[in-house]
Each structure stands twice: as C-alpha cells, then as structure tokens.
Amino acid sequence: MVAKEISLPGKLQEKLDRFQDEFWVPKERLDKIIAHFISELDRGLRDGTDPSGIPMNVAWVMEYPDGSETGDFLALDLGGTNMRVVMVHLLGNHKFTTSQHKYRLPNHIRTTRNRDDLFVFMANCLDKFVKETNPDGVPAGKIFPLGFTFSYPVTQSRIDKGILQRWTKGFDIPGVEGEDAADLMNKEIARQKLPIKIVSLINDTSGTLVASRYTDPLTEMGCIFGTGVNGAYYDRVENITKINGQLEDDIPQKSKMLINCEYGSFDNGHKVLPRTKFDIEIDDESPRPGQQAFEKMTSGYYLGELMRKAMLEGYDEGHLFIDLAKDSEGAKNLHTAYILDTSFLSTLESDETADLSDTEKEFTEKLSIATTLEERYFSKKLASFIGTRAARLSICGISAVCKKMDYKHCHIAADGSVFMKYPYFPERAAQALSDVWGYEGIKMEDHPIQIVRAEDGSGVGAAVIAALSAKRVTKGLSLGLKQ
Ligand code: BGC
C-alpha cells in the first residue's frame, strides 16, 4: 500500500511549506534562466576564459557520424567512481559490439597528493585489460588506438590533447591543472611499454552525443546528469569567433564543430539561479568556491549534501527528529558533511510502503536515526523538492542550446546516474521542458524535443570519435588549430 498524505504538526508543516517554496522553480524563472543561458553560450563562443562564464570548449570533432564508421578501438573512461576500459568493434551499418571491464577507483585517488597514482592506476587497468583480452599476446607491432574519455574541462588545441582547466566533481589532485592530461597518460603508457596510443581525448558529453547519433540521426545534443552535469552539441565554425584566424583552410567557416559546453559552470557570477542558503554554504565549503554553480545545484554529487543540510536545519530549529539527543550518534552523523549520497534521496522517493518502512531503514542504516512516520513523510517530501528542482533546472541548458540553434524537433541523448537511476527524474525534466516549450496536452513520448536514454558514450562514442579522427588523418585533414 502506498503512503497517504499525512498531516504534520503545525511547525513541521510550516517548515515543509517553506522548503517547497524555496526549492520550487516556476516557469517564469526557468524562462529567465534560459534567456541568460543563451547569452552565456554565445559569450563562451566569443571568449571562454572568463571564470564567471561557460568555457564552450572546442572539441575538434568536425563531422557527424553516419553509422558507417568501422574499426576496432580501445576506450578508457575515467568516471567519478569507476574507471572503465572498453574494446569497441564498430561494424558499420549503425552496429557495434563491445567488451568491457569496470575497475573501482581506489577511494584516495580523487584527492591523492601524487598525480602519478592516478595515471599509473589507469595504465595498470589498460595493461590488465589488454592482457586479458589477448591471452595469446598482442601481435608484434600492433598498436591499439585509444579514445580517452576525460570528463573534466579541458582546453584542446587538437583532438588528442587537453589541458585541464580545473578539476570538478570533488577531484583535487595537484599537478594536473594546467597540464595536458593526454600527454601525462601517454607518458605513463610509454613508461609501461603498452601497445597503445591515444588518438582522441574526449568529454563524456561529446561521446554521448556521437554514440547516440551513430544510431539515431535525430540526436542533436549529448548530456550528462550524473556526478557532474554538462552538455555538448555541434555549432557552426563561423559562430566560434574565439578561434577566428587560427584555423587551417581545410576547416571552412560553414562546417560543424562539436562544442563541449562545460555548462556546469553556468552562472558562476550568480545572476539568475535561485540559490538557497544551503547552496551558498555548499559552494563556500567546497574545494573550489565560486566554480560549477549550476552543477552544485543539480548534480548527483551534491544532492545528498543539500538534503543533509536542510534536515539539519529542521533539527537545529527543533522541528525535526525532536527526540534525537544532541550527543547521539545520529546527531553526529547529521553534522557530518557528505555523509549522504544521492541514493539516500532515491530510496526515500521510491518508498511506496504505507508506513514508509524503506525510509525508516535508510535512516537507521545511513544515519543511525530513529524516525517517526511524520518525520519520514517530511523527509520524503523534502527529497522530492530537491530532486524536482534538480530536474527542472537541468533542462535549462538543453532549452538554451535548442533555442540558440533553432532545434524544435530533436532527441537529447542523456546519460549519468541521476538520469538513469533517480526516480521520476526523466518525467520531471520532461514536465519542465513541456512548461517551457508549451507542450501541454501532448503525451511525453510525443514531445517534439525529447530527452532519451543515450548509447554508451564513453565506450562507443569514444570509438566513433576515434574513427572520425582516423578518417581525417587518412584524408590529410587537420585535427586542431593551425600549427
Ligand atoms: C565536468 C564535465 C563533465 C560533467 C559530467 C563535470 O563536472 O566538468 O567535463 O562532462 O561533469 O560528467
């Protein structure tokens, strides 16, 4: 049986109503955010170096895949929690096969003080994978072309280079910002004498877009709603004025160029996003205050922390967990930053039991807090406000790109743990798109702009991009800025 509406004690109800107001983003505000977003996308194409703006990184993918691409490629994907190595066989005719292995990132690696830990770990995984998949040894002279998915903001002068602008998603390893991540990786590959060469360095959003476009020609954007948030799309070279005069003649003004927006940094200048006190605290307390403003309000890395902060306020004000002693384990947990991740909200949101027993268990297991039914109900509602805000804000980047490019009918390929696993996220995002684009009365599956589940971007996408680059090399075309 599903939990019913529950009436809460006056003060608790008041608090819940206040949270609802604070986290609700009405259509009018979405419109305002989108208008500012469009001007920031344009500004980034003129000059992406202002830290208050969106970088709009040029990704040097200059063709759309048409599904005919073929070849065997290795792909390496450094994600937030895992690392994946994938062998991709592109078969042409929109078809492919893959084999892959996932390796858990050791906990300390995100913030290790020694950058070698990261690159040695990645090369070790590549080595293991190649050995496992070639039990009789790699044929002499064989070099595997590798598409490296490195999903952090990078400046690329060519497709196979990428200077890290700054770490995001809680990564904080010294000695990599300002350096070429492909070069550091290639050096470790060479040191370990692996039969591998990086042919392209890509972002997860670029991979998502290209992988989905390989199978679905309606795809115009790739987006990630996960530990981080971001989007990629193709713009026209003539619009990217910051690279004016720096291109070889084989890249005409009218041709297409994939842009990795890095719009997690949208509104770092704090002009339009409706930040709550909790958002401001999260930013102030983060290793990179003032950066990734949009991401900090929408991505999976921060939702658990937002929830904890809001519950803590309810507790400190004496409305929530009223029986919880100040010196208890539970109170200590409630004061522990980042103790909760997004799965906590997911569990609460999907709890359909009459007495919210899944929620009860989650509170005991994750926080050692015993709850009343009213408190569980309050918390479930709070999770839905936070989750709904994330979904509604998330569509602002998509809407801005579609309006700017005049896309009225297309697919937005989406990936990431929040989109794939967070309850109701796709529905809420579709609702917000509908509010903005006026789809009222049209069934979700018939919406002209639809967010759809992506193909595997960091595997297939990385391979397709590597194949597109290989084609350019064969034709003698340039892969980056004028030398
Ligand atoms: C990174 C992007 C990435 C996104 C999703 C952000 O933190 O800066 O490069 O695409 O997360 O993974």
Side-chain angles (χ1 to χ4, degrees):
M1 215 181 53
V2 175
K4 295 201 198 67
E5 293 283 308
I6 288 173
S7 67
L8 298 178
K11 289 280 179 211
L12 198 55
Q13 184 64 51
E14 263 173 41
K15 187 79 201 156
L16 190 63
D17 293 344
R18 228 181 6 257
F19 278 150
Q20 181 161 27
D21 284 351
E22 273 181 47
F23 285 108
W24 177 245
V25 194
K27 171 188 160 26
E28 298 66 38
R29 176 65 84 122
L30 292 175
D31 290 340
K32 194 169 157 201
I33 296 170
I34 293 163
H36 186 53
F37 222 126
I38 297 172
S39 67
E40 288 293 88
L41 295 174
D42 284 331
R43 186 160 79 98
L45 292 178
R46 290 195 300 274
D47 174 12
T49 56
D50 179 350
S52 76
I54 306 177
M56 302 297 276
N57 292 329
V58 176
W60 302 108
V61 180
M62 292 163 271
E63 289 86 15
Y64 286 115
D66 60 13
S68 70
E69 294 74 14
T70 54
D72 300 336
F73 300 91
L74 259 183
L76 170 70
D77 174 22
L78 173 67
T81 26
N82 293 306
M83 238 228 16
R84 252 177 6 130
V85 183
V86 193
M87 183 76 216
V88 187
H89 307 285
L90 296 176
L91 307 172
N93 199 18
H94 310 278
K95 301 236 165 14
F96 56 82
T97 61
T98 59
S99 52
Q100 60 166 306
H101 204 293
K102 214 184 233 182
Y103 305 86
R104 199 171 168 77
L105 274 185
N107 278 338
H108 73 282
I109 275 207
R110 283 164 167 266
T111 52
T112 174
R113 299 292 86 198
N114 180 1
R115 72 176 184 197
D116 291 347
D117 290 350
L118 176 66
F119 292 95
V120 170
F121 173 77
M122 291 195 285
N124 286 347
C125 293
L126 279 173
D127 185 29
K128 255 189 256 164
F129 183 83
V130 169
K131 286 196 174 122
E132 272 162 28
T133 48
N134 295 272
D136 303 330
V138 175
K142 165 100 188 152
I143 301 285
F144 292 98
L146 172 71
F148 180 20
T149 307
F150 184 74
S151 302
Y152 302 88
V154 291
T155 307
Q156 296 194 271
S157 60
R158 287 168 53 94
I159 181 92
D160 54 1
K161 293 190 176 307
I163 295 180
L164 179 63
Q165 294 165 344
R166 58 189 182 278
W167 285 117
T168 60
K169 298 181 278 199
F171 267 71
D172 188 16
I173 307 173
V176 191
E177 285 167 315
E179 299 290 324
D180 180 353
D183 189 41
L184 293 174
M185 190 66 220
N186 269 331
K187 282 196 176 126
E188 185 54 32
I189 289 173
R191 201 186 62 80
Q192 297 199 17
K193 301 195 175 57
L194 307 182
I196 294 170
K197 182 171 184 278
I198 296 181
V199 293
S200 49
L201 182 139
I202 68 157
N203 187 258
D204 49 5
T205 53
S206 312
T208 299
L209 167 54
V210 171
S212 295
R213 181 89 187 198
Y214 186 74
T215 56
D216 170 12
L218 272 183
T219 314
E220 295 292 2
M221 252 190 110
C223 292
I224 302 289
F225 307 109
T227 312
V229 303
N230 190 12
Y233 73 106
Y234 285 88
D235 211 318
R236 276 183 304 281
V237 167
E238 63 190 348
N239 290 340
I240 315 166
T241 47
K242 63 183 171 187
I243 51 172
N244 260 356
Q246 300 176 64
L247 296 177
E248 301 285 0
D249 294 342
D250 61 31
I251 307 179
Q253 288 290 303
K254 292 277 171 226
S255 62
K256 293 279 188 167
M257 175 69 81
L258 202 152
I259 300 289
N260 161 23
C261 302
E262 287 294 340
Y263 62 48
S265 71
F266 168 66
D267 205 27
N268 280 353
H270 308 313
K271 298 235 165 61
V272 284
L273 289 175
R275 296 204 303 164
T276 64
K277 158 182 174 226
F278 310 121
D279 299 302
I280 295 169
E281 282 174 17
I282 284 184
D283 185 31
D284 288 348
E285 292 159 9
S286 76
R288 300 281 188 283
Q291 295 183 8
Q292 302 297 99
F294 186 61
E295 180 161 286
K296 282 173 177 154
M297 296 177 76
T298 52
S299 89
Y301 192 72
Y302 302 98
L303 297 185
E305 182 61 0
L306 265 176
M307 178 81 190
R308 181 192 71 83
K309 281 184 176 292
M311 291 194 303
L312 180 61
E313 185 178 90
Y315 175 61
D316 283 344
E317 289 173 359
H319 308 314
L320 192 63
F321 315 131
I322 34 187
D323 295 328
L324 186 68
K326 295 277 175 225
D327 57 355
S328 63
E329 178 71 16
K332 197 179 115 229
N333 288 337
L334 208 49
H335 279 94
T336 308
Y338 290 91
I339 193 170
L340 298 178
D341 61 25
T342 305
S343 69
F344 183 83
L345 287 84
S346 294
T347 305
L348 270 55
E349 287 232 52
S350 20
D351 188 354
E352 298 296 344
T353 60
D355 56 353
L356 299 178
S357 51
D358 297 344
T359 302
E360 182 168 30
K361 192 158 158 249
E362 190 74 356
F363 266 104
T364 341
E365 280 177 4
K366 298 253 170 88
L367 292 170
S368 309
I369 294 180
T371 47
T372 63
L373 179 59
E374 285 79 11
E375 288 165 345
R376 297 197 286 280
Y377 179 78
F378 173 95
S379 307
K380 180 177 160 74
K381 284 281 190 188
L382 174 59
S384 79
F385 303 155
I386 294 173
T388 302
R389 186 187 72 164
R392 291 180 71 78
L393 288 177
S394 289
I395 63 98
C396 292
I398 295 172
S399 297
V401 167
C402 289
K403 284 186 193 257
K404 172 180 144 50
M405 299 305 290
D406 203 22
Y407 297 141
K408 298 198 172 78
H409 185 255
C410 65
H411 288 165
I412 312 294
D415 204 345
S417 50
V418 174
F419 185 79
M420 294 296 190
K421 295 197 202 135
Y422 194 94
Y424 315 115
F425 188 92
E427 292 81 0
R428 289 168 179 166
Q431 179 59 53
L433 267 183
S434 168
D435 292 354
V436 167
W437 291 79
Y439 296 157
E440 210 176 310
I442 307 176
K443 279 196 277 171
M444 186 171 145
E445 58 272 26
D446 297 330
H447 285 179
I449 295 176
Q450 274 196 44
I451 311 176
V452 300
R453 283 178 163 248
E455 293 289 349
D456 167 15
S458 52
V460 178
V464 175
I465 291 176
L468 292 173
S469 307
K471 251 195 219 169
R472 287 186 72 84
V473 172
T474 318
K475 290 184 189 159
L477 296 173
S478 55
L479 297 171
L481 289 176
K482 229 186 236 174
Q483 295 299 308

